[in-house]
């Protein structure tokens, strides 16, 4: 569930928490399958003693540049980081003890999240598409992508190989804002629609970051930032999980349909 704005918030909070330049004193793996590679014993042995040089985001991946390797973490549905707290939480899967004594805990209730310790980040990240908030992502780039494909808009936007970082929440919001139906064929969008969609994608992501992410519900499995803070972007959502409520633009009832096996929230009046 964490998408670009949530992962970006986590990265920023980790930097603010002064994790940079600390070393990893000890690593413990409580759930082996949270590690994609290497094996738990190799992971613990290799990562111990390495310094955290950089913390970045690429798409929905957290990228930790360490002194020898790169650690890539994909949170999937319910993965989250928490700094501090001694007791092992029932959903805690991996824990790193840092050189200043603090503990970086990784919890993941549904266990879909994955950690990988690799020599080169590119070996994993090479398939990712463009960063939607980068200068390279222009209306022209988007229009070229749209014309190069002939598929439904929503699965196209969710495909990390084209544009990296968008997920269900921000795609539904962007499509509503741009007034396009999620099942429209990409190649059918006009230049004007592409321009609106480009603007909408940037807008919803930027807002999401400003609001430090979207936290739906109050349960522990939901998105919380590293400091345990809830985001506030859920208060700004216009259609996502608002089926049965009024469209804030036209007053028609928002409905929920299924597109590419994903619950999709639209206003049929605004999104033809
Ligand atoms: Zn509407």
């Amino acid at each position: 569930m964490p998408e670009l704005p949530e992962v970006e918030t986590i990265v920023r909070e980790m930097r603010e928490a002064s994790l940079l330049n600390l070393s990893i004193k000890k690593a413990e793996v409580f759930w082996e399958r949270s590690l994609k590679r290497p094996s738990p014993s190799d992971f613990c042995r290799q990562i111990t003693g390495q310094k955290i040089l950089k913390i970045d985001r690429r798409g929905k991946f957290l990228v930790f540049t360490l002194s020898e390797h790169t650690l890539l973490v994909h949170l999937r549905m319910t993965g989250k980081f928490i700094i501090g707290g001694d007791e092992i939480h029932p959903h805690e899967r991996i824990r790193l003890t840092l050189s200043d004594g603090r503990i970086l805990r990784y919890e993941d209730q549904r266990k879909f999240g994955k950690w990988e310790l690799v020599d080169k980040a590119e070996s994993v990240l090479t398939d990712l598409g463009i960063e939607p908030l980068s200068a390279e992502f222009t209306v022209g780039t988007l229009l070229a992508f749209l014309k190069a494909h002939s598929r439904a808009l929503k699965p196209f936007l969710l495909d990390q190989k084209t544009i990296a970082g968008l997920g269900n929440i921000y795609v539904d919001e962007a499509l509503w804002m741009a007034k396009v139906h999620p099942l429209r064929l990409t190649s059918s969008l006009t230049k004007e629609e592409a321009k609106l969609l480009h603007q909408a994608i940037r807008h919803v992501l930027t807002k999401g970051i400003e609001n430090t992410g979207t936290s739906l519900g109050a349960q522990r499995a939901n998105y919380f930032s590293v400091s345990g803070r809830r985001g506030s972007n859920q208060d700004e959502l216009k259609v996502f999980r608002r089926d049965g409520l009024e469209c804030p633009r036209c007053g028609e009832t928002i409905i929920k349909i299924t597109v590419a096996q994903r619950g999709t929230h639209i206003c049929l009046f605004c999104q033809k």
Side-chain angles (χ1 to χ4, degrees), residues 108-119:
D108 189 359
Q109 182 174 338
R110 303 202 41 195
K111 304 182 195 163
F112 290 116
K114 288 281 180 254
W115 286 41
E116 293 178 71
L117 188 65
V118 295
D119 287 331

Side-chain angles (χ1 to χ4, degrees), residues 238-254:
K238 307 292 191 258
V239 280
F240 190 77
R241 293 212 186 150
R242 292 178 52 82
D243 37 307
L245 300 174
E246 279 180 12
C247 167
R249 188 163 44 207
C250 74
E252 283 295 312
T253 305
I254 296 163

